[in-house]
Amino acid sequence: MAQVSAQRIDYQLAQGGQWRALCGRTDLVPNSGVVAWVDGAQVALFYLHDAEGERLFAVDNRDPLSGANVIGRGIVGHLGGALVIASPLYKQHYRLDDGACLEYPEQRLRVWPVRLRGETVEIDLA
């Protein structure tokens, strides 16, 4: 798995709001996760190609149950009608759209709005 966090990304403030350029489309791995460093946080990016088209999600890389930075290495799938990421350590499932944990409702991943703007991945830090 490619790890964008291997080098610090020097991003610039993107047009409007708190959108910032994070990395390039070529840094993403389809149907898998990569990790980027953003303002002191590790952000796991998931770039999915499926029947619904291209989708991009940004969630906290830190697993709240174990405290380890491993979410970007998790397995993407569907569970109970939701698109989820399975933590590689204890296998709990987090919804990619809102970060909620299906097995432990008190656990949650932080999520960020993220988008592709041409060949650039942008994240909203507002």
Side-chain angles (χ1 to χ4, degrees), residues 26-73:
T26 58
D27 294 315
L28 301 173
V29 178
N31 303 311
S32 187
V34 297
V35 178
W37 184 258
V38 181
D39 285 353
Q42 290 187 28
V43 177
L45 299 169
F46 294 93
Y47 180 49
L48 307 179
H49 283 276
D50 57 22
E52 296 183 38
E54 281 186 327
R55 294 183 289 167
L56 190 59
F57 298 91
V59 299
D60 196 346
N61 191 44
R62 185 178 177 279
D63 177 348
L65 192 60
S66 69
N69 291 309
V70 295
I71 296 298
R73 295 176 184 257

Side-chain angles (χ1 to χ4, degrees), residues 59 82-85 93-102 108 111:
V59 299
L83 185 60
V84 298
I85 182 71
H93 299 89
Y94 296 95
R95 289 193 306 243
L96 284 172
D97 61 350
D98 65 5
C101 182
L102 300 181
R108 178 174 294 276
V111 297

Side-chain angles (χ1 to χ4, degrees), residues 10 19 40 55 69 106:
D10 292 321
W19 287 99
R55 294 183 289 167
N69 291 309
E106 69 279 4

